Every structure is written in structure tokens, then in C-alpha cells.
Amino acid sequence: QVQLVESGGGLVQAGGSLSLSCAVSGRTFSSFAMGWFRQAPGKEREFVAAINWSAANTYYKYSVKGRFTVSRDNAKNTVYLQMNSLKPEDKAVYYCAAAALGGTPMSEYEYNYWGQGTQVTVSS
């Protein structure tokens, strides 16, 4: 019923930027809270950012505040994660997720649908 497809991952030097996109199928996109998570090698999946259905509220993991920006375009059924000033510690597989509830949920257990993940690698 709902499918999420990420794009935009790749290799970038430390200090550089990447922009991730997540296209969501279905006509109910605007009712979803959207989140970004990441999983680094040997680590558990962790919360990165979330945005509510109207984009009035966002919430970020402290270590990415001021560097990452989450946004959404409901007309395009797409959520974005703009990543600036990337650090080697940001290397991970990044996942977008959709939650059929309000607010800006931070727990992976609150999300109903998940993308396949996209690799972000930061060198130097």
C-alpha cells in the first residue's frame, strides 16, 4: 500500500554536503509524520530527524542540529534530508520512515513503513 524509495546517497569528503530524498507512494502522504534514521557499521539504528505532517514541527538528534535540515513537499509526496558539514561519524545507511500518527516521533517502533536505505560515506 505504501512504498518509500530513498535516493541521493553516495561518497562525499568531510565538510561536504549531500541531499537525500524519499519519495512516498499513495495519496495519504500528507497525513504521515516522516522520520530519518541511520545505522552505522556495528551500531544499532538511531534516530536522526523527524517532521510532522504539516512541516510546522521538526526535531533533530542533537549532534546533527545546525548541520542537517529535514523538509517535506506534500504536493510531491517527498521528504528531504539536507546534510551539510558532513563528518566521518555521519557514515551510515540512512533510512526514511513514515508514521501514521501525528507529532515528531523519535522511536523506530512508532513508524509503520520503511524505505530500503541509502548508503552515505564520508571520507577524510
Side-chain angles (χ1 to χ4, degrees):
Q1 289 183 297
V2 178
Q3 184 175 354
L4 285 64
V5 180
E6 298 107 329
S7 62
L11 174 65
V12 66
Q13 290 182 286
S17 299
L18 281 175
S19 182
L20 305 183
S21 298
C22 178
V24 183
S25 67
R27 58 184 178 273
T28 60
F29 172 77
S30 62
S31 69
F32 292 144
M34 298 295 300
W36 288 95
F37 293 77
R38 68 187 183 187
Q39 187 168 21
K43 305 294 184 181
E44 294 187 344
R45 186 162 56 189
E46 66 177 359
F47 169 81
V48 177
I51 186 167
N52 81 319
W53 70 271
S54 69
N57 299 106
T58 58
Y59 196 81
Y60 298 90
K61 173 180 171 63
Y62 185 81
S63 65
V64 308
K65 286 184 177 180
R67 299 190 298 120
F68 291 11
T69 302
V70 62
S71 61
R72 67 192 296 165
D73 187 337
N74 289 348
K76 296 181 179 179
N77 290 351
T78 303
V79 63
Y80 307 93
L81 185 67
Q82 177 65 45
M83 304 184 293
N84 300 325
S85 301
L86 282 161
K87 304 174 181 179
E89 67 189 72
D90 296 317
K91 178 183 177 181
V93 177
Y94 283 71
Y95 300 89
C96 66
L101 45 74
T104 53
M106 295 183 289
S107 171
E108 63 181 303
Y109 302 106
E110 296 180 279
Y111 288 85
N112 306 97
Y113 307 100
W114 293 83
Q116 79 288 347
T118 185
Q119 177 71 51
V120 172
T121 301
V122 185
S123 64
S124 299

